[in-house]
């Protein structure tokens, strides 16, 4: 198949596929492909926020240690291929087409999702590239997520909050039960810091039931020495670390990664302290309070749910010049009213945009949701130009924020680099 034909094949499946009550559909597909997942070693990462950053910190350290490292993330930022990477490099299009054809030929006639087909291609690619360690990010939830067919070396639970409530439940306890479904019998699990007590209780109970050794990252002493828009430096467990992504939430993600990397020593992946330090320092994820320009300071962030916009709000409050002018775009499957409430606590003015996704909130509707500050609908390029102009005139900051889909469209339209 050509690249266009491969993408047509993948996209003809639904975003979610038919509803599932177990993992048999994904298991059937992988069995038809020779069960590639049974020949690979995984770190499995679930959570509402922080999955991508935690994965990146871990993978950077793994690569620094000389380990052939696979990375599976979602959604993509600039192109479909950046969801599937080996040693930081996207899957080449020729490999994508070849493996897509392999999946097409062997896939049984079942109502698969795009995610399931993508995961199957990824697993075949990781096996082909002889990956020694694969960092695997859950799509949605955990218990019934297609990725939960793996038997990981370590399970990781990052920050959990309300999101995807229609699928996962409308309380954090219900959502935590779904996420904690990735915890496997007798396999260690790492829990990220700053989770709600009810989340911690669910994870602890699940770990106890399946006899999974639990490491809570919050129980290790932390001393923050520096925190600004360039990142942070801190001492964790008596060892110094530095990160290049800003925000207290990134310190928490880094703490989680350190715990994961230390746990990996037991199953035979000794990653040196120097490799961990370098992995944290060089770990960056596009559209996570990403600095695009210094004069004026211009940021890009795709935190779209309540916890994501709260993290952005807190970082903007603590780390950037005021006033702050926002280019804001959100999708209607998220709690955009809550996001607006967070953003209008720090923005001087909002320029609302749409059209970056089929379910983007109409710019006019979004502008009306802002009640405490001035907000107006504008096309994306005009909104960006206006926010940057005002930030420059007033010595402040411009931020493009809201949906990760907006961040992806912005980077593509502006021709800007990922980092």
């Amino acid at each position: 198949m050509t690249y266009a034909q491969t993408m047509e094949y993948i996209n003809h499946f639904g975003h979610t596929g038919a509803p599932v009550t177990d993992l048999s559909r994904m298991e059937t597909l992988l069995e038809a492909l020779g069960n590639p997942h049974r020949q690979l070693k995984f770190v499995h990462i679930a959570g509402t926020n922080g999955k991508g950053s935690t994965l990146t910190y871990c993978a950077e350290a793994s690569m620094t240690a000389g380990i052939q490292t696979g990375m599976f993330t979602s959604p993509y930022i600039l192109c479909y291929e950046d969801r599937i990477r080996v040693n930081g490099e996207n899957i080449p299009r020729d490999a994508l087409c070849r493996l897509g054809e392999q999946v097409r030929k062997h896939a049984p006639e079942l109502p698969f999702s795009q995610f399931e087909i993508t995961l199957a291609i990824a697993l075949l690619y990781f096996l082909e590239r002889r990956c020694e360690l694969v960092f695997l990010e859950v799509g949605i939830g955990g218990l019934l997520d297609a990725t939960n067919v793996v038997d990981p070396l370590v399970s990781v639970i990052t920050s959990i909050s309300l999101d995807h409530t229609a699928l996962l439940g409308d309380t954090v306890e219900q959502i935590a039960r779904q996420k904690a479904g990735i915890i496997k019998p007798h396999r260690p699990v790492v829990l990220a810091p700053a989770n709600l007590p009810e989340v911690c209780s669910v994870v602890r109970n699940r770990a106890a039931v399946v006899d999974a050794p639990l490491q809570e990252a919050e129980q290790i002493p932390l001393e923050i020495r520096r925190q600004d828009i360039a990142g942070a430096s801190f001492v964790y467990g008596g060892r110094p670390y530095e990160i290049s992504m800003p925000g207290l939430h990134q310190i928490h993600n880094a703490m989680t990664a350190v715990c994961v990397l230390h746990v990996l020593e037991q199953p035979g992946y000794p990653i040196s302290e120097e490799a961990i330090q370098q992995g944290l320092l060089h770990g960056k994820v596009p559209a996570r309070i990403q600095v695009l320009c210094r004069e004026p300071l211009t940021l890009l962030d795709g935190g779209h749910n309540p916890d994501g916009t709260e993290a952005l709000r807190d970082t903007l409050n603590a780390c950037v010049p005021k006033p702050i002018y926002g280019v804001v775009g959100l999708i209607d499957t998220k709690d955009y009213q809550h996001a607006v409430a967070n953003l209008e606590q720090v923005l001087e003015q909002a320029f609302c945009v749409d059209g970056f996704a089929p379910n983007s909130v109409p710019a006019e509707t979004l502008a009306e949701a802002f009640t405490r500050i001035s907000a107006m609908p504008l096309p994306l390029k005009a909104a960006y130009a206006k926010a940057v102009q005002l930030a420059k005139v007033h010595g402040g900051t411009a931020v493009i924020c809201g949906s990760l889909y907006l961040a992806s469209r912005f980077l593509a339209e502006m021709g800007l680099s990922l980092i």
Side-chain angles (χ1 to χ4, degrees):
M1 293 190 292
T2 65
Y3 179 73
Q5 290 170 331
T6 301
M7 296 311 302
E8 182 180 0
Y9 167 69
I10 294 167
N11 290 330
H12 98 273
F13 293 99
H15 282 292
T16 59
V20 297
T21 57
D22 57 32
L23 299 172
S24 60
R25 191 168 73 200
M26 190 67 205
E27 289 169 341
T28 299
L29 174 58
L30 293 179
E31 185 175 359
L33 295 169
N35 291 315
H37 60 304
R38 295 182 183 170
Q39 303 170 66
L40 295 162
K41 303 296 184 182
F42 299 93
V43 172
H44 198 193
I45 305 175
T48 307
N49 291 300
K51 298 188 296 294
S53 297
T54 301
L55 181 150
T56 297
Y57 289 135
C58 289
E60 286 286 344
S62 175
M63 288 185 282
T64 301
I67 297 168
Q68 184 85 340
T69 303
M71 304 165 68
F72 181 78
T73 57
S74 62
Y76 68 80
I77 301 299
L78 279 184
C79 63
Y80 174 85
E81 300 92 274
D82 65 36
R83 300 180 64 173
I84 304 168
R85 287 167 286 163
V86 171
N87 292 341
E89 298 292 330
N90 295 352
I91 181 173
R93 287 191 172 185
D94 61 345
L96 176 66
C97 295
R98 176 169 43 77
L99 297 174
E101 175 69 12
Q102 183 176 341
V103 171
R104 187 187 68 80
K105 286 182 176 179
H106 291 87
E109 290 294 326
L110 292 171
F112 294 111
S113 66
Q114 293 175 15
F115 185 84
E116 288 167 324
I117 297 298
T118 300
L119 176 59
I121 292 171
L123 293 171
L124 289 172
Y125 183 61
F126 296 144
L127 184 60
E128 181 179 275
R129 292 292 307 274
R130 299 183 180 181
C131 287
E132 300 167 89
L133 193 57
V134 174
F135 293 91
L136 189 70
E137 181 183 322
V138 167
I140 294 176
L143 180 64
L144 296 177
D145 188 78
T147 61
N148 206 26
V149 295
V150 306
D151 182 17
L153 298 173
V154 187
S155 300
V156 187
I157 307 296
T158 64
S159 172
I160 293 178
S161 60
L162 290 174
D163 199 11
H164 297 294
T165 53
L167 294 173
L168 304 179
D170 54 11
T171 69
V172 289
E173 292 95 337
Q174 290 173 327
I175 293 173
R177 289 188 193 101
Q178 290 295 317
K179 309 286 188 183
I182 72 165
I183 300 173
K184 299 297 195 299
H186 316 299
R187 298 296 193 187
V189 56
V190 172
L191 175 63
N195 266 301
L196 294 170
E198 49 266 49
V199 169
C200 297
S201 178
V202 167
V203 173
R204 289 169 188 149
N205 288 341
R206 169 65 182 172
V209 165
V210 299
D211 194 24
L214 174 62
Q215 170 72 70
E216 297 188 41
E218 198 163 50
Q219 294 181 348
I220 298 173
L222 168 71
E223 177 193 348
I224 299 174
R225 292 183 170 177
R226 174 184 63 84
Q227 188 180 178
D228 55 33
I229 199 61
S233 61
F234 57 95
V235 176
Y236 182 56
R239 299 183 178 97
Y241 300 101
E242 189 172 352
I243 58 175
S244 300
M245 289 194 287
L248 179 60
H249 61 294
Q250 289 296 355
I251 296 176
H252 292 157
N253 294 333
M255 292 162 63
T256 308
V258 170
C259 287
V260 172
L261 294 164
H262 286 159
V263 169
L264 280 171
E265 294 177 14
Q266 186 172 357
Y269 293 85
I271 299 173
S272 70
E273 192 59 34
E274 182 181 0
I276 295 174
Q277 290 170 334
Q278 289 299 308
L280 265 59
L281 179 62
H282 296 296
K284 289 186 179 182
V285 183
R288 270 63 166 188
I289 314 184
Q290 176 185 350
V291 177
L292 300 176
C293 180
R294 294 282 181 178
E295 293 293 337
L297 182 61
T298 306
L299 308 174
L300 177 68
D301 186 68
H304 46 226
N305 53 36
D307 269 16
T309 51
E310 286 172 16
L312 174 62
R313 177 200 65 197
D314 293 345
T315 304
L316 293 175
N317 259 332
C319 297
V320 309
K322 315 303 188 291
I324 305 167
Y325 301 91
V327 177
V328 183
L330 293 155
I331 56 176
D332 61 16
T333 53
K334 302 294 181 181
D335 183 359
Y336 74 88
Q337 292 93 346
H338 194 150
V340 165
N342 285 329
L343 293 172
E344 64 183 357
Q345 293 178 43
V346 290
L347 298 183
E348 180 75 14
Q349 190 172 2
F351 303 104
C352 300
V353 300
D354 58 21
F356 52 86
N359 58 339
S360 58
V361 178
E364 294 81 2
T365 303
L366 189 56
E368 290 170 0
F370 284 89
T371 58
R372 297 173 56 183
I373 63 170
S374 170
M376 67 176 70
L378 282 176
L380 177 55
K381 288 187 177 181
Y384 171 61
K386 188 69 174 174
V388 170
Q389 177 194 27
L390 287 168
K392 188 172 184 178
V393 168
H394 297 287
T397 300
V399 57
I400 303 94
C401 60
S403 172
L404 198 55
Y405 296 107
L406 169 62
S408 178
R409 173 68 64 85
F410 177 83
L411 287 169
E413 284 198 8
M414 300 302 173
L416 296 171
S417 62
L418 288 178
I419 297 296

